[in-house]
Amino acid sequence: MNLRATLLLAVIALAATPVLAHPKVVGSIPAAGATVASPKAISLTFSERLFEKMSGATLAKTGMAAMPGHGAGPVRAEAALSDDGKVMTVTPAAALTPGSYRLDWFGVGGDTHRVTGSVSFTVR
Ligand SMILES: [Cu+2]
């Protein structure tokens, strides 16, 4: 293979990289930073399909309104993925009481790397 062909292949490889980009959250309900009425569930929409067995989320209460850290702790919730693997729905075991929350998600997409992120919101 001559140098020109090698360079061409390198360019093709670089151009193909975005296909293997890590999954990221492209939308959530509630939206990040939003203050909402107690939601029955939290949903995250991802940029690509996640593998169900290697993906999930944990929910934590991070504080009560105007009292950061007070009443903080884990919140029992169950995460499930849609059939197309792009929407994660997290359903709390009990209604969320007023305060601030953080949803920490983890997921494995097409490139098999584990990716994590979080979405915070407030329940009024
Ligand atoms: Cu990766």
Side-chain angles (χ1 to χ4, degrees):
M1 194 185 300
N2 64 30
L3 180 62
R4 196 187 173 93
T6 306
L7 285 174
L8 184 61
L9 282 175
V11 168
I12 291 168
L14 281 175
T17 302
V19 175
L20 292 175
H22 291 162
K24 58 174 191 276
V25 173
V26 294
S28 70
I29 303 172
T35 297
V36 297
S38 185
K40 284 201 164 58
I42 301 119
S43 76
L44 304 175
T45 301
F46 288 87
S47 55
E48 65 171 278
R49 178 186 194 100
L50 300 181
F51 294 113
E52 182 147 40
K53 290 200 169 106
M54 291 172 276
S55 304
T58 57
L59 182 62
K61 188 167 188 176
T62 51
M64 293 171 66
M67 298 174 76
H70 187 82
V75 175
R76 249 161 50 87
E78 212 161 286
L81 276 184
S82 59
D83 286 344
D84 71 0
K86 287 184 158 188
V87 180
M88 186 184 291
T89 301
V90 180
T91 308
L96 299 182
T97 53
S100 54
Y101 292 84
R102 190 185 69 243
L103 184 69
D104 293 307
W105 60 266
F106 59 95
V108 172
D111 82 349
T112 73
H113 296 159
R114 182 183 162 107
V115 180
T116 63
S118 65
V119 174
S120 296
F121 59 93
T122 300
V123 173
R124 69 167 76 88

